[in-house]
Amino acid sequence: ELFWKQSPLILNNVRFVKSDGNSYGIYEPKEGEKFASGERIYLYMEPVGYMLKKNPKGYYEFGFTADFSIEDKSGKVLGGQKNFANLDFKSWNFNTEISLTFTYTFTGLEKGRHKVITHVKDKNSDKKATVENWFNII
């Protein structure tokens, strides 16, 4: 637990998956990074190093908020949203295995390469982590 508390927030095993019905280590990877305009994009990740707080009832509470932005291949910001996700969890155990799956649906993007940048913040500390994932609109 001491090592976990001292660790930075890290987002491991980040990948596109086929659906949002995932749990830790249980997902179906999506082949490639091609999506049609308006197609749902599911981004799976496994956070490490988040802070868990034991409440008076005896279970652990932890959670995350997330922002995202989207850029074209030249780096121009096309949009985004602050606090698009607000996730709370409870566990009777000091749970170090949790997964997050974010669902993005982008319409109106030109065909070609784009990047979604996801910023995840730990609710119980000032820890933050960012992942960047390239995808193609076909």
Side-chain angles (χ1 to χ4, degrees), residues 17-87:
V17 294
K18 291 186 177 182
S19 72
D20 63 352
N22 306 298
S23 56
Y24 187 84
I26 302 171
Y27 55 86
E28 191 172 350
K30 177 178 173 34
E31 297 295 325
E33 56 184 40
K34 294 180 181 178
F35 298 90
S37 180
E39 179 180 353
R40 287 189 178 131
I41 298 173
Y42 302 105
L43 185 63
Y44 172 92
M45 60 190 70
E46 298 166 353
V48 173
Y50 47 89
M51 296 298 293
L52 296 97
K53 291 188 177 182
K54 198 166 193 177
N55 76 12
K57 292 183 180 180
Y59 56 82
Y60 292 92
E61 296 177 323
F62 55 102
F64 309 92
T65 61
D67 308 331
F68 82 91
S69 60
I70 185 164
E71 297 179 359
D72 66 14
K73 64 183 174 189
S74 69
K76 179 182 175 187
V77 176
L78 303 174
Q81 186 177 343
K82 299 281 185 193
N83 293 313
F84 83 97
N86 185 3
L87 308 166

